[in-house]
Amino acid sequence: MKDEALAIIRNLTNPSQKLNHLREYLQLLTLWSLHESEAFGSLAFVGGTALRFVFSLPRFSEDMDFSLEKTPDYKPERWMKKLKNDLALAGFDTSVSWNDRTTVHKAWIKVGGLLQEAGLAAMPNQKLSIKMEIDTRPPAGAVCARTIITRYRMLALQHYDLHSLMAGKIHALITRRYPKGRDWYDLLWYTGRRPPVEPNLTQLQNALDQTQGSGTYDASQWKTDIIAKIETHDDKKLRADVQPFLDHPDEALLLTTETIRSVLTN
């Protein structure tokens, strides 16, 4: 399978795109391993990487986020052990570390040698890393769905529906201390969906209450809050953040305060 990963990037010339495709291939193998472990009986795939795999968001993503929906069959250490073995059998020099000392459990998947073989690193000890997070106390109200995906491999995923994923994105836009252009690009993508997508307001309100305190925000006023937030950001920094991750890098030029304000007020 490592040969397959390297074959995917063989004709690419842009280093960022090479890295994006390698990382995405490893993300897919991670999902495949979790699928075989029946982890999606407990977990829901969320965040930007879920948007990419399930709804064809035209940007790559670095990390993998999950929400714990059912606790009785939650066996993450067993899943991580299998994941490491699966990646080793696929030909990758892999280490997997695990931390469950906080509410959000974290795993770090690190693959050695691959970046050098891909011509992206001079030394074999430079590793391609993926962070995986599992929120063990997600806000209530999200709606789950199941989808078969066929990117490189066929597997079944449990994930949040599009309205619930949008609620998570809006929560990040309102509350994140350090703005990420990727979040704002995703918002533009949502606003361009037809038929239009509205966020799961119950989930969004629960998330805002959980992280900011009850009564601090009114989820129904999310557009007003987001417009106020974008006014404080630097458009150039937002575009620079997202551009390396886009299927079509020129789309970063659309990311402006004026555009955000326009799509939310029309």
Side-chain angles (χ1 to χ4, degrees):
M1 291 183 188
K2 183 169 71 171
D3 290 341
E4 182 179 31
L6 294 171
I8 289 168
I9 66 164
R10 185 169 296 138
N11 295 322
L12 298 176
T13 57
N14 185 305
S16 293
Q17 291 299 314
K18 283 187 175 184
L19 179 58
N20 286 334
H21 281 278
L22 283 178
R23 185 188 294 113
E24 184 166 89
Y25 188 83
L26 291 173
Q27 290 169 343
L28 184 280
L29 294 186
T30 298
L31 293 172
W32 189 28
S33 180
L34 291 173
H35 159 78
E36 290 194 325
S37 294
E38 300 183 346
F40 290 108
S42 300
L43 302 181
F45 196 23
V46 301
T49 318
L51 283 176
R52 171 79 176 175
F53 276 94
V54 181
F55 296 102
S56 300
L57 174 72
R59 78 160 177 90
F60 293 90
S61 188
E62 291 182 294
D63 302 328
M64 305 181 73
D65 297 317
F66 301 85
S67 289
L68 178 59
E69 299 299 312
K70 295 181 180 178
T71 57
D73 296 319
Y74 183 51
K75 301 172 182 177
E77 292 176 322
R78 181 184 300 179
W79 302 339
M80 294 305 105
K81 182 177 181 180
K82 182 180 185 303
L83 172 60
K84 181 179 179 180
N85 290 337
D86 288 344
L87 291 175
L89 289 172
F92 297 101
D93 176 13
T94 307
S95 65
V96 179
S97 57
W98 176 251
N99 185 334
D100 59 5
R101 293 191 294 270
T102 60
T103 300
V104 178
H105 295 175
K106 298 178 178 66
W108 287 267
I109 305 158
K110 297 182 179 181
V111 176
L114 185 61
L115 292 178
Q116 185 190 42
E117 292 183 61
L120 295 172
M123 303 297 291
N125 61 348
Q126 292 181 260
K127 297 182 178 181
L128 197 165
S129 299
I130 298 171
K131 182 171 70 171
M132 177 175 159
E133 295 191 341
I134 302 173
D135 186 351
T136 63
R137 284 177 41 198
V143 176
C144 290
R146 287 188 177 272
T147 297
I148 302 292
I149 65 169
T150 56
R151 186 174 301 185
Y152 308 132
R153 299 289 184 277
M154 182 180 291
L155 59 137
L157 295 175
Q158 177 171 241
H159 57 88
Y160 281 2
D161 71 0
L162 201 54
H163 306 280
S164 301
L165 288 169
M166 187 177 184
K169 183 61 60 176
I170 291 169
H171 176 262
L173 285 166
I174 292 173
T175 64
R176 198 188 296 277
R177 293 183 180 181
Y178 305 101
K180 293 176 67 174
R182 283 161 274 187
D183 289 336
W184 293 97
Y185 174 87
D186 293 356
L187 177 65
L188 286 181
W189 178 83
Y190 273 116
T191 62
R193 301 281 295 186
R194 294 294 179 269
V197 181
E198 293 294 327
N200 178 336
L201 290 182
T202 299
Q203 177 198 354
L204 177 57
Q205 188 65 65
N206 288 335
L208 291 168
D209 289 348
Q210 186 181 75
T211 61
Q212 308 302 306
S214 180
T216 304
Y217 286 97
D218 179 351
S220 67
Q221 300 300 310
W222 66 270
K223 290 184 179 181
T224 301
D225 293 327
I226 283 182
I227 290 172
K229 197 82 170 185
I230 191 63
E231 300 288 353
T232 68
H233 295 335
D234 184 324
D235 291 355
K236 290 183 179 180
K237 290 182 179 179
L238 295 180
R239 290 194 291 270
D241 172 75
V242 72
Q243 190 172 41
F245 297 95
L246 296 180
D247 286 343
H248 307 288
D250 287 349
E251 290 181 353
L253 298 174
L254 299 172
L255 193 53
T256 68
T257 300
E258 182 180 354
T259 303
I260 297 291
R261 190 189 306 113
S262 174
V263 298
L264 292 180
T265 54
N266 291 337

